[in-house]
Amino acid sequence: MDARKEEQYRDALRAARTAILQLQEEKSEPVAIIGMSCLFPGRYPLDALTPEAFHEQLLAGVDSVVRVPAERQALWNLQNKGTDAPQVPVIEQGAFLGGDIHAFDCAFFGIPPSEGRMTDPQHRLLLELSWQALLDAGIAPETTAASQTGVFAGKTGTDFMFDILGTSHLSSDDPYTLTGNMHSALAGRISYFFNWHGPCISYETACSTSLVAVMGAVAALRAKECSMALAGAANLLLGPTPSRWLNAMHALAPDGRSKAFGADADGFGRGEGGGVLVLKRLSDAKRDGNRIHALILGGAVGSDGQSRTFTSPSGIGQRAVITRALANAGVSPEEVGFVETHGTGTPLGDPIEVESLHEVYGKRETPLLIGSVKSNVGHLEAAAGMAALIKTICAVRHGVVHKSLHCERLNPLLDWDTLPIRVARESTDWPVGYARRVAGVSSFAIAGTLAHILVAEAPEALPARESDALSSLALQPVSSRVLLLSASSPVGLDALVGECATRLEKGEAWPQMCDAAANGRPHFSERLALVAADGAEAAAALRVLQGGKTRRNVVRGKSPKTPLPLTFLFSGQGSQQGGMGKDLYAAFPVFREVLDACEAQVAPRLGHSLLEVMFAPDDARLHDTRVTQPAIFSHQVALAELLRQRGIRPGAVLGHSIGEYAAAVTAGIMDRQTGLAIVLQRGELAAGISVKGAMAAVLAGEEATRAVLTPFPEVSIAAINGPDTVTLAGPEKAMSEAVKALRECGIESRPMPVSQAFHCSLIKPALAPFAEFLRGQRFTTSGIPFLSTCTASFLDVQEDWPAYFTRQMCEPVQFFKALNACTPPQIFLEIGAGPTLSAYGRQCHSDGVWLFAQNGEDGQKPLAQALAKLYTLGYAQDWKWLSSWPWKPEAAPGTMFCRERLLPPGVLAWKAPHDTSVSSTPAHAGCAVREPCGAYETAGQKAEMLQLSNPLEELVRLQCETFTAICAMQQALMIENKPE
């Protein structure tokens, strides 16, 4: 073989080796937990609504076990009336959620009430938790539509089918009984609601369901079957039947408590709740700048095989699955500092589990800490692994090990003195001596399915998101931020207002709240936007709003399906102000980039810095036409580009005098460099006119003004700005006399800060050279409608632009007539240094929405207020400019669901009895309370409710009735045609 071919083979082998290593790395890549949500029992009736709240209650050693709540017991008994079943629950205590587990927001999730009533509340709970987990990840759910997101969900309980629906005629004939209770619908309904196309799998492996679902998600992510995955499980104690089965097996502790590893272990207590994790491959999470709670390094799923009995645990099986999990995660046993055990508190299971851990993790210098969340919240069965995993995520994230309860005296069947294992009987810091915090989580099932997962702390340094890279270019921080709140109902929005005020008063960071609310929350139709400099100002405004009053910095409204047309107004000469653009230049990179480019083009022509003049508080040079016009143009094109970057694009543009050049650039008639070159030439030609001119704004209409101007033929009406506002232009001496005559007639006026008069005969000497200059410039076809204030009409795309702009220089500005060419109602946003045209425009269109982007010393606030108003008016925007670091999605409140109690028709009229032992909360998570809908009183009310709720419900009913009629007809035909 010659040397050349040999080298080719070597290159091929190297490439193959690299590919193999890359595949191996992908197959073992850690998975990032970027979002999580939960609902677990707390100090009854208060629930742990967030992982952080759950973490706090675990640190405090909260025991969530209580007597069966009176309303739960009454509902169970209701379903047992007329049977031989006992009228008392088979369990007396358990870890129950304090809220109404039958309450749900059907309208929010697009489910007809009749379908919602027949749907297992565990399905409904997982829908809510999935939504909340996405928000915790800082992902607006609507942005994930049609993505390859996978769903891996689990439950075990069949209480709703057995104990609530039963086998009554109502449930057996209802089509929603099937879709509301079949196991596959658990995951399917989530993928359907979010419109996801990734893997969609429902799991049921008894007590290991949660971890098996998580491992399914991990495997799918590593195989690149999905780009993101949700894994979760729920468990609700909806009826007494499963407890009877478990009691018959002697599995339940009489006091309802799981005393894991304790000498008094006598079975487990039942509990309820659920949790959902949002998962991504670590490389993808880093690329997307996601906040990472923790990492799943790997894990394994196995089986007991043949143990002593079908339901008995197997030490051999447990050791095997833990060993495989460590290998899959690439972790050695001595790296693991804590294991969250299955730990049910059964005399048989606990010793076998500890011995199995000893066999795998035993060779170590530092004792292995273990614990069981079941000692706090009971055995959540399908959701037990989710409670254990979320507890462990909090442990590695915060560097603590939570205390395990009810094990003051340890199980005497184990020789604890010789075991390198310690039960964490007090909350403690993570033990020292480990390079990183790594923990194991075990879940073992009654039918033999085993799972073990390795979890580690997140990487220390996270890369900034792209938006943060943009923000880091700012010379000064954004001084006026916008808090965006939205809900699907006014009640929900009111609840968000109170929640935000409370959070800010407790010290929540204002920049992070604005960032999370804008970039990590969905935007519904009911909207509110608040502009403030800091959290104290914002909290005060929200409290005032709660009191029924209004504040200028708060706008609220219902976003229309189709926003009103938006027109940009570019103000003309006389709108310049000292300091124009200075604050925006300091805060926004794109604004600064445009002004810097204009500075580079203008300064050589002027012989001095344009920006120096613009940013000075009072520089006389700003009113020199040669400086004024490029200053106005540069400021306006920078503002327009800033708005474009924010996602705000006009439907039409309108410019006043010199403002028509920035309008033309925005419309696409010319590029910025051409526009600035024309403006510079225009200003220099005007400045070269020997006769000194003047201009003045007059508070009178065109006819009244002309009547006074008859003795002054040199003075012209340069602009008609409104029914009672015009602008005059002419030689300085003639203008002075004309203004005096107007004053004597009771007509007020004010001089304009200009050094030359435009739109009058004085400008004629500049027209010929200006026209010649324009013919050498490049113009293009307009992309945005251009409303001329010279002709008071929209110009054709094939307009002769050199001729037009020559004519525009001397003819009067028909601003008033041009505005009347706009079809009301409209939104007008003034692009300039102050609200000059807005004041005129309100006289023409009182029904319009008038906004402006700058106003003197107000800095960034007018722009923020304009963007806030546009938000409530339905304009989609890019809010990345609000980004702050560190990214904290949980800084903004989640969605406030408007829940109502939903029960099947057979128990629809049931009302919970007053519970004298404990209080009850109206719902199980953040919500705005809505009165229960109750039973339909009349057929008319039912029809009305059907019409209001969802047309799909009526369609399904009609389809069912049609199908029944067809079946009856076929049966009749078969009987009729039956042979003798």
Side-chain angles (χ1 to χ4, degrees), residues 112-119 160-161 165-182 903-906 936 942 953 956-957 960 964:
S114 59
E115 181 178 4
R117 291 188 188 93
M118 306 303 288
T119 299
F160 191 69
M161 177 69 79
L165 294 180
T167 57
S168 69
H169 171 74
L170 285 171
S171 63
S172 60
D173 289 347
D174 194 307
Y176 293 129
T177 303
L178 176 65
T179 57
N181 293 270
M182 61 183 185
L903 287 166
Y936 296 120
K942 179 175 182 180
E953 181 174 359
V956 171
R957 183 185 66 79
C960 291
T964 303

Coordinates of all heavy atoms in Angstrom, one line a residue, residues 112-119 160-161 165-182 903-906 936 942 953 956-957 960 964:
P112 N -64.5 20.9 27.7 CA -65.9 21.2 28.0 C -66.2 20.7 29.4 O -65.6 19.7 29.9 CB -66.7 20.4 27.0 CG -65.7 20.1 25.9 CD -64.4 20.1 26.5
P113 N -67.0 21.5 30.2 CA -67.3 21.1 31.6 C -67.8 19.6 31.7 O -67.4 18.9 32.6 CB -68.3 22.1 32.0 CG -68.1 23.3 31.2 CD -67.6 22.8 29.9
S114 N -68.6 19.2 30.7 CA -69.1 17.8 30.8 C -68.0 16.8 30.7 O -68.1 15.7 31.3 CB -70.2 17.6 29.7 OG -69.6 17.8 28.5
E115 N -67.0 17.1 29.9 CA -65.8 16.2 29.8 C -65.0 16.3 31.0 O -64.5 15.3 31.5 CB -65.0 16.6 28.6 CG -63.8 15.7 28.4 CD -63.0 16.0 27.1 OE1 -63.4 17.0 26.4 OE2 -62.1 15.2 26.8
G116 N -64.8 17.5 31.6 CA -64.0 17.7 32.8 C -64.5 16.9 33.9 O -63.8 16.4 34.7
R117 N -65.9 16.9 34.1 CA -66.5 16.2 35.2 C -66.2 14.7 35.2 O -66.1 14.0 36.2 CB -68.0 16.4 35.2 CG -68.4 17.8 35.5 CD -69.9 17.9 35.7 NE -70.3 19.3 35.8 CZ -70.7 20.0 34.8 NH1 -70.8 19.5 33.6 NH2 -71.0 21.3 34.9
M118 N -66.1 14.1 34.0 CA -65.8 12.7 33.9 C -64.4 12.3 33.8 O -64.0 11.2 33.6 CB -66.6 12.1 32.6 CG -68.1 12.5 32.6 SD -69.0 11.9 34.0 CE -69.0 10.1 33.7
T119 N -63.5 13.3 33.8 CA -62.0 13.1 33.7 C -61.4 12.9 35.1 O -61.6 13.7 36.0 CB -61.4 14.3 33.0 OG1 -62.0 14.4 31.7 CG2 -59.9 14.1 32.8
F160 N -61.0 6.9 41.0 CA -62.1 7.7 40.4 C -63.1 6.8 39.6 O -64.3 7.0 39.6 CB -61.5 8.8 39.4 CG -62.4 9.8 38.9 CD1 -62.9 10.8 39.7 CD2 -62.8 9.8 37.6 CE1 -63.8 11.7 39.3 CE2 -63.7 10.8 37.1 CZ -64.2 11.7 38.0
M161 N -62.5 5.9 38.9 CA -63.4 4.9 38.2 C -64.2 4.0 39.1 O -65.4 3.8 38.9 CB -62.5 4.1 37.2 CG -63.2 3.0 36.4 SD -64.3 3.7 35.2 CE -63.1 4.1 33.9
L165 N -67.1 7.2 39.8 CA -67.9 7.0 38.7 C -68.7 5.7 38.9 O -69.9 5.6 38.6 CB -67.1 6.8 37.4 CG -66.4 8.1 36.9 CD1 -65.6 7.8 35.6 CD2 -67.4 9.2 36.7
G166 N -68.1 4.7 39.4 CA -68.8 3.4 39.6 C -69.2 2.8 38.3 O -68.7 3.0 37.2
T167 N -70.3 2.0 38.4 CA -70.8 1.4 37.2 C -72.3 1.9 36.9 O -73.1 1.1 36.4 CB -70.8 -0.1 37.3 OG1 -71.5 -0.5 38.5 CG2 -69.4 -0.7 37.4
S168 N -72.5 3.1 37.3 CA -73.9 3.6 37.1 C -74.2 3.8 35.6 O -73.3 3.8 34.8 CB -74.0 5.0 37.8 OG -73.2 5.9 37.1
H169 N -75.5 3.9 35.4 CA -75.9 4.2 34.0 C -75.3 5.4 33.4 O -74.9 5.5 32.3 CB -77.5 4.2 34.0 CG -78.0 4.7 32.7 ND1 -78.1 3.8 31.6 CD2 -78.6 5.9 32.3 CE1 -78.6 4.5 30.5 NE2 -78.9 5.7 30.9
L170 N -75.2 6.5 34.3 CA -74.7 7.8 33.8 C -73.2 7.6 33.3 O -72.9 8.2 32.3 CB -74.8 8.8 34.9 CG -76.1 9.3 35.2 CD1 -76.1 10.2 36.5 CD2 -76.7 10.2 34.1
S171 N -72.4 6.9 34.0 CA -71.0 6.8 33.6 C -70.8 5.8 32.5 O -70.0 6.0 31.6 CB -70.2 6.4 34.8 OG -70.5 5.1 35.3
S172 N -71.6 4.7 32.4 CA -71.4 3.8 31.4 C -71.9 4.3 30.0 O -71.4 3.8 29.0 CB -72.1 2.5 31.7 OG -73.5 2.7 31.9
D173 N -72.8 5.2 30.0 CA -73.3 5.8 28.8 C -72.7 7.1 28.4 O -73.0 7.7 27.4 CB -74.8 6.0 28.9 CG -75.6 4.7 28.9 OD1 -75.0 3.7 28.6 OD2 -76.8 4.7 29.3
D174 N -71.7 7.5 29.2 CA -71.1 8.8 28.9 C -69.8 8.6 28.0 O -68.9 7.9 28.5 CB -70.7 9.6 30.2 CG -70.4 11.0 29.9 OD1 -69.5 11.3 29.1 OD2 -71.0 11.9 30.6
P175 N -69.7 9.2 26.9 CA -68.5 9.0 26.0 C -67.2 9.5 26.7 O -66.1 9.0 26.4 CB -68.8 9.7 24.8 CG -69.7 10.8 25.1 CD -70.6 10.1 26.2
Y176 N -67.3 10.4 27.6 CA -66.1 11.0 28.2 C -65.6 10.0 29.3 O -64.5 10.3 29.8 CB -66.4 12.3 28.8 CG -66.7 13.4 27.8 CD1 -67.8 14.2 27.9 CD2 -65.9 13.6 26.7 CE1 -68.1 15.2 26.9 CE2 -66.1 14.6 25.8 CZ -67.2 15.3 25.9 OH -67.5 16.3 24.9
T177 N -66.3 9.0 29.8 CA -65.8 8.1 30.7 C -64.6 7.4 30.2 O -63.6 7.2 30.9 CB -66.9 7.1 31.1 OG1 -68.0 7.7 31.6 CG2 -66.4 6.1 32.2
L178 N -64.6 7.1 28.9 CA -63.4 6.4 28.3 C -62.2 7.3 28.2 O -61.2 7.0 28.8 CB -63.8 5.9 26.9 CG -62.7 5.2 26.1 CD1 -62.2 4.0 26.8 CD2 -63.1 4.9 24.7
T179 N -62.4 8.5 27.5 CA -61.3 9.3 27.3 C -60.8 10.0 28.6 O -59.6 10.4 28.7 CB -61.6 10.4 26.3 OG1 -62.8 11.2 26.8 CG2 -61.9 9.8 25.0
G180 N -61.7 10.1 29.6 CA -61.3 10.8 30.8 C -60.6 9.8 31.8 O -60.1 10.3 32.8
N181 N -60.6 8.5 31.5 CA -60.0 7.6 32.5 C -59.0 6.6 31.9 O -58.3 6.0 32.7 CB -61.2 6.8 33.2 CG -62.0 7.7 34.1 OD1 -61.7 7.9 35.2 ND2 -63.1 8.3 33.5
M182 N -59.0 6.4 30.6 CA -58.0 5.5 30.1 C -56.6 5.9 30.3 O -56.3 7.2 30.3 CB -58.3 5.2 28.6 CG -58.2 6.4 27.7 SD -58.6 5.9 26.0 CE -58.2 7.4 25.1
L903 N -67.6 17.6 39.4 CA -67.9 16.2 39.9 C -68.9 15.6 38.9 O -69.6 16.3 38.2 CB -68.6 16.2 41.3 CG -67.6 16.5 42.4 CD1 -68.4 16.8 43.7 CD2 -66.6 15.3 42.6
P904 N -68.9 14.3 38.7 CA -69.8 13.6 37.8 C -71.2 13.9 38.1 O -71.6 14.3 39.2 CB -69.5 12.1 38.0 CG -68.1 12.1 38.6 CD -68.0 13.3 39.4
P905 N -72.1 13.7 37.1 CA -73.5 14.0 37.4 C -74.1 13.3 38.6 O -75.0 13.9 39.3 CB -74.2 13.5 36.1 CG -73.1 13.6 35.0 CD -71.9 13.3 35.7
G906 N -73.7 12.1 38.9 CA -74.2 11.4 40.1 C -74.0 12.1 41.4 O -74.7 11.9 42.4
Y936 N -77.2 21.9 36.4 CA -78.0 22.7 35.6 C -79.5 22.6 36.1 O -80.0 21.5 36.3 CB -78.0 22.1 34.1 CG -76.6 22.2 33.5 CD1 -76.0 21.0 33.1 CD2 -76.0 23.4 33.3 CE1 -74.7 21.1 32.5 CE2 -74.8 23.5 32.7 CZ -74.1 22.3 32.3 OH -72.9 22.4 31.7
K942 N -79.1 24.6 30.6 CA -78.1 23.7 30.1 C -77.7 24.1 28.7 O -76.5 24.1 28.4 CB -78.6 22.3 30.1 CG -77.6 21.2 29.6 CD -78.2 19.8 29.7 CE -77.1 18.8 29.2 NZ -77.6 17.4 29.3
E953 N -68.5 20.6 22.8 CA -69.3 19.8 23.7 C -70.7 19.4 22.9 O -71.1 18.3 22.9 CB -69.6 20.5 25.0 CG -70.5 19.7 25.9 CD -70.6 20.3 27.3 OE1 -70.0 21.4 27.5 OE2 -71.3 19.8 28.1
V956 N -70.0 16.9 20.1 CA -69.8 15.5 20.6 C -71.2 14.9 20.9 O -71.5 13.8 20.6 CB -68.9 15.5 21.8 CG1 -68.9 14.1 22.4 CG2 -67.5 15.9 21.3
R957 N -72.0 15.7 21.6 CA -73.4 15.2 22.0 C -74.2 14.8 20.7 O -74.8 13.8 20.7 CB -74.1 16.3 22.8 CG -75.5 15.8 23.3 CD -76.2 17.0 24.0 NE -76.6 18.0 23.1 CZ -77.6 17.9 22.2 NH1 -78.4 16.9 22.2 NH2 -77.9 18.9 21.4
C960 N -72.9 11.6 19.2 CA -73.3 10.4 20.0 C -74.8 10.1 19.7 O -75.1 8.9 19.5 CB -73.1 10.7 21.5 SG -71.4 10.8 21.9
T964 N -76.1 6.7 17.9 CA -77.1 5.8 18.6 C -78.3 5.6 17.7 O -78.8 4.5 17.6 CB -77.6 6.5 19.9 OG1 -76.5 6.7 20.7 CG2 -78.6 5.6 20.6

